Amino acid sequence: MSETPKSLIVLEFNELCPPILNRLMGKGVLPNFRRLHDRSEVFVSTTNDESLEPWVQWVSYHTGQPQTVHGITELDQGHCITLHQLWDRFAEEGKSALVFGSMNVSPSKSDRVTVVPDPWSRQVPPSDDAFQVFHRFVAHKVTEHANPDADGGARDALAFGKFLLGHGLSLGTAGRAASQLLAERFGKRDRRWHRATILDQLSWDVFKHSYRKRRPDVAFFFANSVAFYQHRYWRHMAAEEYSAKPSGAELASYGDAIETGYRGLDLLVGDALRLVGNDGAVVLVTALSQEANLKYEDIGGKFVHRPRDFRKLLDWLDAPASATVEPVMTHQAWASFEDEAGARRFETALGQVTAAGEPVFAWRRDGARVMFWCNFIQPLDEAAQMHRGNGAKVPFSAFFAPVGYVNNSQHHRDGAFWVMSPGRPHRVATGKLPLETAAEMTMNILPGRRQPLRKVA
């Protein structure tokens, strides 16, 4: 076996936690993670970036530079990145790359790189039009999952199903998806949350099909199901840490959600090891991890609200018809305007809205875009009215739907970084590895002439 790897797959499993990985591997339920771990150099990565909420550590990893250099502060800002990312640097060395779902990516300027952006990306489209159907459907489902009034999109669902049939849908995933739908319809417990794992597995099937067809030198695959489960259900995994305890019914429905997520990703790890074979390398990187969030225990947990229809909300706020909305995480969204003056007027309108005597909105502006969200973190009385400064008023519930209790966990600066490569001995490193150093280590796995970091031309 050659000690020079011929290919590399980077598994970007968002916010997996080293202590949970160790516990579940010790329990024997993650056999493929165990195989990867025992063949890898194992590091705990860490970051000194200021922003963890929302996180930008994937940009720090992809550029090899901290937030103070890359300057990204929000989701859907990939188009603002001026530094070359890992795949661009590989392309400069003549290597081909497949980037599948990676978070906050910039458009690649190389035809050696195929980019399918994350579901929260509206400013950076897939580099290959063949993935438009896939990206549009997944983005809708991910960004609208918390909206009870969201359109099911039957036409897009049919197009998505047709796409899957032609792009690697496996019998195993199809069977799990069918079982999931049956469990939702006929089961006694809430299992809808399990859709996040099914989505990761559908995405992996498409990634695997593309990987086998394109045979890239390096490929990146991003999965978010576990990060989602941890934020929602950490309270149910570790109820003893919280003063506000979940009920028995909630524990029955959600107590196994986080372990289920890790077990789902374990299947993908096994596939990745088979894809690269004995001559390839696999990297596991999580960018961050999570820990219990106890900041809201005095109010029984954080409860959030999401607009039912962003367009109707913008119309009520007298935003111009040209303004667009790009939802991101759970209850947050960007509003994009033609110019900065329009964004400033929207800020003014947001600041004039109250309910129960309190401001309804919080926001951050970046040029001609405004990231905004509902400021209330507790349930509101059903009769609550929403008032504008011009005297207009509507029921709060006409524009907002309750999402429920979220953020049971919070981000932690440490993450997992494992490197499995031919000829590389297994060891568990002491100390912590800066995330930017992890990026350079990733670049050095495949042979080639190293390119210095520079801005995009």
Side-chain angles (χ1 to χ4, degrees):
M1 180 178 66
S2 170
E3 293 193 359
T4 301
K6 295 180 179 179
S7 61
L8 167 64
I9 292 179
V10 181
L11 298 175
E12 299 183 338
F13 289 171
N14 198 25
E15 299 174 19
L16 269 61
C17 304
I20 296 179
L21 279 167
N22 290 334
R23 175 169 60 82
L24 294 180
M25 286 191 298
K27 188 178 173 181
V29 299
L30 301 180
N32 294 309
F33 274 108
R34 170 58 73 186
R35 285 173 58 210
L36 178 61
H37 176 278
D38 291 352
R39 295 168 60 186
S40 296
E41 284 190 273
V42 176
F43 301 89
V44 172
S45 66
T46 194
T47 178
N48 290 321
D49 288 345
E50 179 181 354
S51 295
L52 298 184
E53 311 281 351
W55 69 102
V56 294
Q57 281 59 57
W58 285 112
V59 182
S60 301
Y61 172 64
H62 293 150
T63 63
Q65 293 295 307
Q67 185 184 20
T68 52
V69 176
H70 66 64
I72 301 303
T73 59
E74 306 282 359
L75 282 175
D76 197 20
Q77 286 189 315
H79 61 292
C80 301
I81 296 170
T82 59
L83 297 170
H84 271 60
Q85 296 179 285
L86 288 172
W87 39 87
D88 299 311
R89 297 168 66 189
F90 278 121
E92 287 185 335
E93 297 179 358
K95 296 179 174 63
S96 58
L98 172 63
V99 184
F100 203 97
S102 294
M103 185 167 279
N104 247 345
V105 301
S106 61
S108 177
K109 295 185 180 297
S110 173
D111 58 7
R112 294 190 178 99
V113 180
T114 300
V115 172
V116 182
D118 67 72
W120 306 276
S121 174
R122 292 295 190 274
Q123 306 299 313
V124 179
S127 61
D128 184 339
D129 285 344
F131 290 102
Q132 289 284 5
V133 169
F134 173 85
H135 182 258
R136 182 171 62 248
F137 182 84
V138 172
H140 176 77
K141 291 301 179 184
V142 169
T143 59
E144 295 292 328
H145 79 274
N147 182 6
D149 300 339
D151 179 9
R155 181 177 297 179
D156 282 349
L158 287 173
F160 180 68
K162 183 178 179 180
F163 175 90
L164 291 177
L165 290 173
H167 291 80
L169 177 64
S170 68
L171 289 175
T173 302
R176 285 188 285 272
S179 297
Q180 168 66 18
L181 293 176
L182 289 172
E184 288 182 21
R185 184 172 180 81
F186 299 109
K188 295 181 179 179
R189 295 184 292 164
D190 176 15
R191 307 302 284 180
R192 187 179 175 85
W193 56 265
H194 198 268
R195 289 186 177 193
T197 287
I198 301 297
L199 179 58
D200 275 351
Q201 291 168 344
L202 289 170
S203 297
W204 177 261
D205 282 354
V206 177
F207 166 82
K208 185 165 60 172
H209 176 269
S210 300
Y211 183 89
R212 287 172 169 165
K213 180 180 179 180
R214 298 168 187 263
R215 289 294 174 187
D217 298 302
V218 58
F220 297 78
F221 178 83
F222 178 88
N224 192 59
S225 56
V226 165
F228 169 72
Y229 294 154
Q230 288 174 166
H231 280 310
R232 287 292 180 92
Y233 305 122
W234 196 288
R235 185 183 305 269
H236 305 80
M237 176 187 71
E240 69 280 359
E241 299 184 40
Y242 298 84
S243 57
K245 306 293 185 185
S247 67
E250 290 173 330
L251 287 173
S253 290
Y254 313 121
D256 64 342
I258 292 175
E259 180 173 323
T260 296
Y262 279 82
R263 292 172 75 141
L265 293 183
D266 189 70
L267 298 175
L268 311 192
V269 173
D271 258 357
L273 292 172
R274 287 186 287 273
L275 281 174
V276 301
N278 293 327
D279 295 321
V282 173
V283 164
L284 169 69
V285 58
T286 72
L288 288 172
S289 62
Q290 295 184 24
E291 61 184 349
N293 182 1
L294 305 177
K295 290 184 294 188
Y296 305 101
E297 290 307 282
D298 59 328
I299 59 172
K302 183 177 181 180
F303 188 100
V304 301
H305 310 261
R306 184 194 190 279
R308 296 178 181 275
D309 186 313
F310 282 104
R311 185 67 258 171
K312 291 180 179 178
L313 177 61
L314 261 63
D315 290 343
W316 188 70
L317 293 170
D318 295 329
S322 58
T324 62
V325 175
E326 299 85 37
V328 283
M329 287 295 186
T330 310
H331 64 302
Q332 296 179 322
W334 284 105
S336 299
F337 298 85
E338 292 182 340
D339 52 36
E340 189 170 317
R344 290 187 180 277
R345 286 191 293 271
F346 185 65
E347 284 188 285
T348 299
L350 291 174
Q352 294 174 343
V353 182
T354 62
E358 299 291 335
V360 169
F361 294 102
W363 67 89
R364 295 185 288 267
R365 186 178 60 82
D366 180 26
R369 303 182 86 199
V370 178
M371 172 77 76
F372 70 103
W373 61 95
C374 180
N375 203 34
F376 291 110
I377 59 172
Q378 289 181 278
L380 249 63
D381 187 279
E382 290 184 3
Q385 296 284 309
M386 196 159 67
H387 300 260
R388 283 193 64 188
N390 62 6
K393 66 178 182 178
V394 295
F396 179 84
S397 60
F399 280 110
F400 285 93
V403 173
Y405 291 99
V406 298
N407 292 103
N408 290 310
S409 64
Q410 62 189 6
H411 295 136
H412 189 283
R413 294 184 179 276
D414 294 349
F417 181 71
W418 302 356
V419 181
M420 185 207 80
S421 185
R424 207 169 191 136
H426 167 64
R427 73 182 182 99
V428 178
T430 58
K432 295 181 180 180
L433 183 76
L435 198 55
E436 298 79 22
T437 303
E440 293 308 311
M441 289 178 64
T442 303
M443 279 299 306
N444 290 327
I445 291 172
L446 295 182
R449 181 172 56 88
R450 297 281 76 85
Q451 295 289 336
L453 177 76
R454 63 185 181 86
K455 291 191 174 184
V456 177

